[in-house]
Amino acid sequence: MVCGGFACSKNALCALNVVYMYMIILGLVFIFQFGISCSCLAINRSKQTDVINASWWVMSNKTRDELERSFDCCGLFNLTTLYQQDYAFCTAMCKSRSSTCQMCGEKFLKHSDKALKILGGVGLFFSFTEILGVWLAMRFRNQKDPRANPSAFL
């Protein structure tokens, strides 16, 4: 009995099954990672604004204060009257230096846009190297034994 040109032993069959599972796992990881990477690159500024806006109002006041202090900004976006309340309770250093502070929403958008582009690019790079791994595993899975008889089938 022959397994891809090699004599079938228990160890050879186990090795072939491991390579096959490796191909399946890499294929699934590729699909997932490719989808996430494309999503990171495709998200537009208005969707980022929606996500930032939704998460800002879910945060606790302590978390908002920490973000305002670390980013040196006050409030999220000047879209509602809630901005005036946020600005009134802001403890960032920019408020003591000048009469106006930059809005946190603009800083968050700039930072998230840059991060999403980097993550999407790196994710695409590694997802295509995973496809290379799948191709190599498929290519060398059924490789013939060079010591075997060349006229033998597989």
Side-chain angles (χ1 to χ4, degrees):
M1 186 172 183
V2 177
C3 296
F6 298 100
C8 274
S9 68
K10 185 177 180 182
N11 292 338
L13 288 173
C14 289
L16 287 174
N17 286 333
V18 167
V19 169
Y20 183 67
M21 286 301 295
Y22 180 70
M23 288 175 6
I24 291 173
I25 291 170
L26 269 182
L28 292 174
V29 168
F30 165 76
I31 291 170
F32 181 74
Q33 190 170 5
F34 184 76
I36 296 296
S37 299
C38 289
S39 300
C40 286
L41 292 173
I43 191 168
N44 58 13
R45 200 161 175 88
S46 67
K47 290 294 181 191
Q48 289 179 29
T49 304
D50 293 343
V51 170
I52 290 171
N53 203 5
S55 61
W56 182 262
W57 301 115
V58 174
M59 288 183 211
S60 67
N61 288 334
K62 181 180 177 186
T63 306
R64 284 188 210 165
D65 289 341
E66 289 174 8
L67 281 173
E68 287 175 339
R69 271 187 265 121
S70 65
F71 278 93
D72 199 25
C73 57
C74 287
L76 187 62
F77 296 109
N78 194 3
L79 301 175
T80 61
T81 57
L82 293 175
Y83 169 75
Q84 294 166 347
Q85 291 174 347
D86 274 347
Y87 192 80
F89 295 115
C90 181
T91 59
M93 292 298 294
C94 64
K95 198 171 178 184
S96 62
R97 285 191 305 251
S98 66
S99 60
T100 59
C101 284
Q102 188 177 3
M103 291 180 285
C104 292
E106 293 300 322
K107 286 191 172 188
F108 294 162
L109 278 174
K110 188 171 28 171
H111 184 72
S112 69
D113 193 43
K114 187 188 303 182
L116 285 171
K117 297 293 184 250
I118 291 171
L119 289 173
V122 170
L124 276 180
F125 172 76
F126 283 109
S127 66
F128 284 114
T129 56
E130 288 166 5
I131 283 296
L132 178 67
V134 169
W135 177 77
L136 287 172
M138 286 175 47
R139 166 71 177 88
F140 293 112
R141 181 172 182 245
N142 295 323
Q143 186 178 15
K144 289 186 179 184
D145 186 3
R147 299 169 294 174
N149 183 4
S151 63
F153 179 71
L154 287 179

